[in-house]
Each structure stands twice: as structure tokens, then as C-alpha cells.
Amino acid sequence: MGKIFNNRFWRQILTEVCQKIDGQNIGLQVISPFGFELLEDRNFFSRNLRRFYAYIGIPGRINFEKDAIASDFKKSLFAKLTQIGTQFIDDIVIIYENETLHKLRNNDYICKPTDKLLDIQVRSVEIDILTDYANYIIAILDGLYREKGEGKDYNTCEKQRWRLYQLYIMQETIFGYLLPTMTISEKIAYGSISTMIRNSIQVFYAINTSTSKPSWQEKEIIHHLIKPRIEKMYNAVNSENNHPKIKLSCKGYHFADELNLIIDLDIYHRAIDKIKRTYLMLE
């Protein structure tokens, strides 16, 4: 796919595969977000992307076997990639099908810098998969505030800290306008967070390698920037006023924990519009 990742082509492939396995025309949909779309920075596509996600949505009225759909999608996707003749398929060494991890190499395999992880998840959705994903990204504020799902275990797991940092940056991009402007020291701390996020997939082969405590610098950033700002965002989206509110309830995309967030309706619409717009814009 070249030095600059062709995101438009990747999405096109996933859509074609999704349509192919939808033999009964039940309305399968697929999206493939990285998370950084919110930053509206196309330079990310020139970086070494290693984790790829395919989120498949099925209309909520349909009864389905999600593991069978994930398996069919994987087989059809690999057939498509083989037909294209891309190196991409040979670089995939880890696959998640819903909650099941498949290692495509031996347990003692050491991942190369070009190796990739593919995560396929099937979700029941009420409207469409992009709206479902956007609702999850908004509701994760509850997980970060209450330390549930992807917001927990950051004190003992390096991989969880990477996710905490990424999700915090996303929340700051969505809700930061509701908070006072950062101080100079906060801006410096915020600017250093991106350097602490790793794209390693070796941790999925040897999970114990991600067990570690945060450094003193990480503790400072977590407890004096991230946690206070998340708490202020949480309070700001549900301020005590007479504005209409909406309650979001959903399960996490990577954890089973239930997320619940009451949010001002106007703030919600602004957030969901931003998430959808930036995802669709960065093709």
C-alpha cells in the first residue's frame, strides 16, 4: 500500500468484503477507525501503522451469530488481500475475532516492526455502526472518570496506559472547549503525552511484558493533568442546568464493562457530529 497508507483503499476493501458476506442483505456495515481521525492530521498515514480495526454493525432487530460473521469476514478479507497480492496480508501476525485472540505465529515469536494486528468485532447497532462507535467514544468519558473498561488497570499495565493516553487526547479534542484554557505547565505535559504512546503488538504475544508501573513522569501527567481534566469534562457535560439531557448506555468496544453517561443534548450533538465528520473526512 506504499509508504503513505492508502486509507481510502483500505476502507473500500473492507466495505466490499462486508457486502460480499452479507448474502441475506441484512444491512451489514463496517468502519475502520484508528482514533487519530479526531486530530484531523493526515500525517498519521505516513507513520508505521500496526493496529487495524474492523467494526461490523448489524441492525439491532436481526438475530445473528457474531462469531460466525467475524469468521466469515476474516476469511473473505484474507481472500481479497491474497487476490490483490499485497504484502499487507503477510504482515498480519495477530487477529482478534470479537474476544478471541489468534496468534498466527509461535508463542515465542518476536514481532517485527512491520508486523500488524487485525481486530474484527461484530456489534448490534440501533442506527448505524458509525453512530454506535461515536456514542462509545463519547461514553468512554464515564469509563475514564470511573476507571471502568479501558479506563482501568493503568497503574499496573503499560498497554492500558497507552490506551488511557490515546483516549484522553480524544476526549480533550472533543470536550476540551468546555474547560478553562490549560496553564503553561499543563500544555507542556499535554504535549509530551503522544511520545508515551507505543504501537507495539508484542504485548499481545507475551502479555506479561506489558506489566509495569508508571514512571514518575507518567504519574505526574496522570494525576495532575489527565484525571483532573477528565473529572472537569465529566462534570461539564452534565452541568446542573435546565438544558435537555440524553443518557448514553453502551458496552465498550474492547471490554465488557457497561458505560453510562448523562450529557447535555447540545454538547452531545456537537460531539457526535465532530466524531463522524472527522472520520468521514480522513479517507
Side-chain angles (χ1 to χ4, degrees):
M1 292 186 177
K3 292 184 178 180
I4 298 179
F5 181 72
N6 191 334
N7 198 40
R8 181 189 297 271
F9 186 41
W10 172 243
R11 290 186 185 179
Q12 178 183 334
I13 290 172
L14 297 184
T15 298
E16 289 177 1
V17 170
C18 193
Q19 292 172 346
K20 181 178 180 180
I21 68 170
D22 190 9
Q24 297 180 336
N25 294 318
I26 62 176
L28 296 185
Q29 301 172 328
V30 64
I31 59 172
S32 183
F34 291 97
F36 60 67
E37 292 90 350
L38 276 163
L39 303 179
E40 302 182 45
D41 185 357
R42 295 183 181 277
N43 290 327
F44 278 97
F45 292 127
S46 62
R47 298 184 182 181
N48 182 23
L49 303 179
R50 304 187 68 191
R51 301 182 188 182
F52 295 81
Y53 302 90
Y55 299 141
I56 302 168
I58 299 179
R61 67 184 185 279
I62 303 295
N63 293 322
F64 64 94
E65 175 52 58
K66 69 175 186 177
D67 288 341
I69 291 175
S71 180
D72 288 347
F73 185 90
K74 180 197 71 175
K75 292 175 184 176
S76 294
L77 175 59
F78 271 52
K80 181 69 173 180
L81 293 174
T82 300
Q83 177 187 356
I84 294 171
T86 173
Q87 175 66 30
F88 188 87
I89 188 173
D90 296 324
D91 292 339
I92 299 174
V93 298
I94 304 171
I95 298 178
Y96 267 101
E97 292 181 43
N98 295 315
E99 292 81 24
T100 303
L101 172 65
H102 300 281
K103 299 176 182 178
L104 305 188
R105 304 290 188 272
N106 295 329
N107 284 334
D108 59 353
Y109 178 73
I110 303 300
C111 295
K112 303 190 300 296
T114 54
D115 286 342
K116 297 172 176 53
L117 173 149
L118 175 64
D119 189 329
I120 302 170
Q121 293 193 36
V122 181
R123 305 265 299 185
S124 175
V125 299
E126 294 301 319
I127 301 176
D128 58 67
I129 186 61
L130 183 54
T131 301
D132 185 77
Y133 169 76
N135 282 336
Y136 155 68
I137 293 300
I138 295 169
I140 198 65
L141 181 58
D142 174 56
L144 297 179
Y145 175 66
R146 300 186 185 279
E147 298 191 4
K148 299 188 299 184
E150 294 185 89
K152 64 185 178 185
D153 297 334
Y154 59 84
N155 278 318
T156 57
C157 180
E158 186 177 23
K159 179 162 63 71
Q160 285 299 102
R161 290 198 293 278
W162 298 342
R163 190 59 175 152
L164 170 67
Y165 302 149
Q166 182 184 31
L167 289 170
Y168 164 64
I169 290 173
M170 294 170 72
Q171 297 296 309
E172 192 72 62
T173 307
I174 298 169
F175 298 120
Y177 73 95
L178 297 170
L179 275 55
T181 302
M182 288 184 184
T183 64
I184 293 177
S185 61
E186 286 176 332
K187 288 180 179 178
I188 293 173
Y190 182 75
S192 68
I193 292 177
S194 61
T195 65
M196 299 179 180
I197 302 173
R198 304 287 183 267
N199 66 354
S200 169
I201 62 173
Q202 184 65 41
V203 293
F204 295 91
Y205 265 89
I207 297 177
N208 61 328
T209 61
S210 69
T211 301
S212 68
K213 294 183 179 181
S215 66
W216 68 267
Q217 183 184 15
E218 288 180 297
K219 289 180 181 178
E220 286 292 311
I221 291 174
I222 291 171
H223 296 293
H224 293 98
L225 176 69
I226 295 178
K227 299 301 287 185
R229 296 278 292 184
I230 287 294
E231 181 178 3
K232 290 176 182 177
M233 290 178 204
Y234 184 87
N235 292 329
V237 301
N238 184 24
S239 58
E240 295 183 358
N241 54 41
N242 295 323
H243 296 175
K245 305 288 194 300
I246 182 174
K247 181 178 181 180
L248 294 180
S249 296
C250 65
K251 287 192 179 298
Y253 269 55
H254 301 279
F255 287 85
D257 293 18
E258 185 82 18
L259 302 171
N260 296 285
L261 181 71
I262 297 176
I263 180 171
D264 183 288
L265 191 58
D266 289 339
I267 295 174
Y268 167 76
H269 283 308
R270 177 168 175 167
I272 201 167
D273 287 346
K274 182 178 181 66
I275 296 168
K276 288 184 175 182
R277 175 181 59 79
T278 53
Y279 175 81
L280 295 172
M281 180 179 68
L282 283 190
E283 288 190 334

